[in-house]
Amino acid sequence: MHKFKNNVSDGWLFKQELRFFRNFATNWNRDVEDCDFFDIFANTANTSEDEAKAFIGSRFDHKELDKIDAIRFHRDEGAETGEFELHGNIDGIIRDIWNRKGWRDDCRAMLMEWCDLMEKRKTRRCKRKDPMELRMDEICRVLKLNEVEREVVSFAAVRAMTCFDDFPVGCCNGRHDRELYCAMALDRPCSAITKALSAEGTLRKYEVLDSDGDFGRGNTFRNYLESGDGDMLEGRFYKKTPVEEALPWDFYGKLAEEHGATLKRLIGSSTGKRGSNILLYGEPGTGKTSFAKTLARELGLDLYEIRQGDKDGGNDSAQSRMTGIRICNGQVPKGRSMIIVDEADELLRTSMGFFSLFFGGGQSSTSEKGVINSILDEVKIPTIWISNAPARSMDDSVRRRFDYSIRFEKLNSKQRRAIWRNNVGKLHLGKVITDDMVDQLADRYQTSAGGITMVLENVKRMKPRKGKEMELIDKLMKPHCELMNAKPKDDKLLPSKDYSLDGLNITGDIGL
């Protein structure tokens, strides 16, 4: 039952509700078992139940109504002649009238008249489009939905957000009945609805609706329709990432020398008909994301990052991220864009993780691999996939779809030193953290780039007294390293900083 969804605001959704009800009442010519289907008669009106019953009583002969046993219809004692009162639920009363032999056409005409009355009463004249209709337009624009697909999504919205009830024959007997119900409400051929809801269709491919034509739980598109705040739909799936402050290309030294030229040629050869999939994998915190940003800046490309979930923090499912990849590929400018899929472990790990939730775990099946493989095959924009998972966690069919891959090893002291210096500069801490301090910290703490950034941000926020900066960094860094199982080097094993070789006069083949 949908009684709780009875206060539909004026505007687009209300008009769709009435339109679909009119269509179905016109096309459906069998009995109605579920009286809840007629909830719309009472729940769309800013009116009283008495007014609704009076409306019914004024459209039918009282003596004929009195012959319907299921309707508790009687003349009140003491009432004036001709005054009658209907008793019982309105939806049940209408169902019994609808099912009465020979009364259906008159019942249908009454329902149409009621819908016209309610539309006239509730619809406000406004030069601007209803906000929900604008959001529906936005979904159609982004996904390039045709007219039938738009109607199917609109019907799903009406069923989800209003008192419009399910199939009026008790329950749906399989997918065919649901498609028939939708076809009658939309006044479309059933074959058109079947095509719109096919697994190969846009609505299923982009996870807008499920096979029954419903919004799934936590559905991004339903959330957007209901509560979008005027933002563009794309912003719920991906965002443009600034690369202006990315590390310089020469920071990556050997890595840039070994892979830079090939990567640049590969990405530069993308035509827009086929992009390239590049995998950056290996040790966490080794600068994979930073490398991708630097690469984008080096190539002069705009970088778009697939969100972990809605911008509001919801729907962080793998399906939503895959939808985001597809939408991003279809929306961002070809030839001057790059996509980054950060933390892609669960998307690429086909023998565990996300897919095990839906396919039961264990060895990956053809259906499992097909989901991610189809995404990799469809890519038209150069896409960087970043994963901390080992390569063996990915199925062979997934791995062979990457055009290029780079394994990132643990950071060495030189790389850590550059990261320390870069973060000190970005956070404007150069006056309190000297180059000598950076050298010591890079040698002592074998931590990740994320750990370095986190500690320095806290140092800036905590504002240590002059001369106490190193002490605070040590206090913050040691527990972090212990947590990350990265044991700091003992200061006793580090080279002394207060010595000089100038006074020695030693010759030999090996330099001091």
Side-chain angles (χ1 to χ4, degrees):
M1 294 180 66
H2 301 270
K3 298 267 188 187
F4 65 97
K5 295 180 285 189
N6 57 8
N7 295 318
V8 181
S9 62
D10 305 350
W12 178 80
L13 187 64
F14 174 68
K15 290 181 180 178
Q16 303 311 303
E17 180 185 17
L18 291 183
R19 180 167 67 91
F20 294 142
F21 183 80
R22 285 191 187 102
N23 286 342
F24 189 84
T26 299
N27 292 317
W28 182 253
N29 202 32
R30 292 164 54 189
D31 283 357
V32 171
E33 297 175 14
D34 186 0
C35 64
D36 288 341
F37 180 72
F38 294 108
D39 278 350
I40 188 174
F41 191 88
N43 292 340
T44 55
N46 293 326
T47 185
S48 65
E49 185 176 286
D50 289 341
E51 181 185 357
K53 288 181 178 179
F55 185 88
I56 297 171
S58 67
R59 266 62 180 175
F60 293 93
D61 183 85
H62 294 173
K63 292 182 180 179
E64 293 299 317
L65 280 174
D66 207 21
K67 295 177 182 179
I68 300 178
D69 295 335
I71 294 180
R72 294 188 295 277
F73 177 86
H74 68 276
R75 185 198 307 266
D76 284 342
E77 292 183 11
E80 296 181 9
T81 302
E83 288 186 2
F84 292 83
E85 182 181 353
L86 285 168
H87 291 268
N89 293 328
I90 294 175
D91 48 7
I93 293 170
I94 300 175
R95 180 198 59 185
D96 293 332
I97 294 174
W98 177 276
N99 292 342
R100 180 78 169 175
K101 186 176 181 180
W103 286 36
R104 188 158 299 155
D105 288 343
D106 290 337
C107 184
R108 184 180 288 117
M110 179 196 70
L111 293 171
M112 299 302 162
E113 187 179 350
W114 179 261
C115 287
D116 291 343
L117 177 64
M118 292 305 103
E119 185 170 19
K120 184 178 180 180
R121 177 180 294 180
K122 290 194 68 175
T123 300
R124 294 182 245 173
R125 293 185 178 182
C126 183
K127 294 181 180 180
R128 295 181 180 179
K129 271 190 175 182
D130 180 273
M132 188 175 289
E133 185 178 8
L134 290 173
R135 294 192 286 270
M136 187 68 219
D137 292 343
E138 179 71 0
I139 291 175
C140 293
R141 178 191 69 81
V142 171
L143 302 185
K144 299 178 176 63
L145 300 186
N146 59 38
E147 188 177 350
V148 174
E149 291 165 339
R150 179 190 176 107
E151 290 276 86
V152 172
V153 177
S154 299
F155 186 55
V158 165
R159 291 179 61 232
M161 304 176 202
T162 77
C163 65
F164 202 99
D165 207 75
D166 281 327
F167 203 60
V169 189
C171 65
C172 291
N173 297 316
R175 183 176 173 184
H176 175 73
D177 280 354
R178 292 182 179 274
E179 292 177 351
L180 176 64
Y181 182 42
C182 183
M184 286 189 171
L186 271 56
D187 200 24
R188 301 272 184 177
C190 199
S191 58
I193 307 305
T194 301
K195 181 179 179 181
L197 291 175
S198 67
E200 298 77 25
T202 301
L203 300 181
R204 297 275 302 284
K205 184 177 177 181
Y206 283 84
E207 300 285 344
V208 182
L209 302 176
D210 60 23
S211 60
D212 291 328
D214 295 323
F215 293 113
R217 185 177 181 182
N219 186 282
T220 298
F221 297 97
R222 174 180 173 174
N223 294 342
Y224 178 73
L225 271 177
E226 285 191 285
S227 57
D229 54 4
D231 58 336
M232 305 290 278
L233 175 63
E234 298 101 314
R236 301 221 160 193
F237 292 98
Y238 66 87
K239 61 182 178 180
K240 189 173 182 180
T241 299
V243 297
E244 291 77 16
E245 294 186 1
L247 290 167
W249 183 247
D250 58 10
F251 162 77
Y252 294 97
K254 186 178 180 181
L255 189 70
E257 293 174 8
E258 289 184 0
H259 303 284
T262 304
L263 275 176
K264 291 176 182 179
R265 287 184 60 190
L266 179 62
I267 293 172
S269 66
S270 297
T271 61
K273 294 182 178 180
R274 185 189 183 281
S276 50
N277 291 296
I278 297 159
L279 176 66
L280 308 182
Y281 70 106
E283 292 289 334
T286 49
K288 296 184 286 294
T289 304
S290 297
F291 180 79
K293 292 179 179 180
T294 298
L295 180 62
R297 189 181 67 178
E298 187 75 4
L299 292 169
L301 299 176
D302 292 329
L303 187 63
Y304 297 89
E305 183 176 356
I306 304 300
R307 290 186 181 274
Q308 301 292 329
D310 283 357
K311 70 168 192 171
D312 301 324
N315 197 11
D316 58 352
S317 67
Q319 301 104 305
S320 178
R321 297 201 76 197
M322 288 186 176
T323 297
I325 296 168
R326 281 174 159 147
I327 289 177
C328 192
N329 259 276
Q331 293 296 312
V332 301
K334 296 179 177 63
R336 54 190 180 90
S337 302
M338 180 188 290
I339 296 173
I340 179 172
V341 188
D342 208 348
E343 298 185 34
D345 307 41
E346 296 305 313
L347 295 177
L348 302 174
R349 194 158 33 195
T350 51
S351 60
M352 59 192 80
F354 153 63
F355 292 100
S356 66
L357 298 176
F358 295 91
F359 300 99
Q363 297 299 315
S364 59
S365 65
T366 302
S367 58
E368 295 174 47
K369 292 178 289 186
V371 178
I372 187 62
N373 287 346
S374 64
I375 296 287
L376 291 165
D377 290 340
E378 292 169 8
V379 162
K380 293 181 174 60
I381 304 293
T383 303
I384 307 290
W385 302 75
I386 296 177
S387 172
N388 296 329
R392 63 179 178 274
S393 68
M394 306 174 208
D395 190 87
D396 287 347
S397 66
V398 175
R399 278 184 277 177
R400 67 170 173 258
R401 280 174 161 80
F402 286 104
D403 301 281
Y404 201 78
S405 62
I406 303 176
R407 176 180 172 82
F408 279 66
E409 305 290 349
K410 285 185 178 182
L411 297 174
N412 57 37
S413 182
K414 180 180 178 182
Q415 290 171 321
R416 290 196 300 272
R417 193 174 293 114
I419 294 171
W420 277 102
R421 287 201 173 97
N422 182 66
N423 278 277
V424 166
K426 283 201 303 184
L427 296 170
H428 308 291
L429 293 172
K431 292 183 179 180
V432 295
I433 300 178
T434 65
D435 285 346
D436 285 344
M437 291 167 66
V438 165
D439 291 341
Q440 293 180 54
L441 292 166
D443 287 334
R444 183 182 302 160
Y445 297 111
Q446 301 182 45
T447 187
S448 66
I452 294 170
T453 302
M454 179 270 294
V455 165
L456 286 177
E457 286 176 345
N458 284 325
V459 168
K460 182 173 182 178
R461 182 168 56 88
M462 296 170 73
K463 299 178 181 178
R465 295 196 307 273
K466 188 174 182 180
K468 298 292 184 180
E469 297 88 359
M470 199 68 168
E471 180 181 339
L472 177 59
I473 292 174
D474 286 334
K475 286 182 177 180
L476 293 171
M477 188 59 81
K478 285 178 179 177
H480 172 75
C481 288
E482 184 177 355
L483 178 66
M484 303 306 296
N485 197 29
K487 189 176 181 180
K489 286 185 179 180
D490 192 329
D491 286 351
K492 295 178 182 179
L493 301 179
L494 294 176
S496 174
K497 297 296 182 181
D498 56 352
Y499 69 91
S500 172
L501 300 179
D502 295 341
L504 297 180
N505 184 18
I506 301 176
T507 59
D509 296 331
I510 301 176
L512 293 176

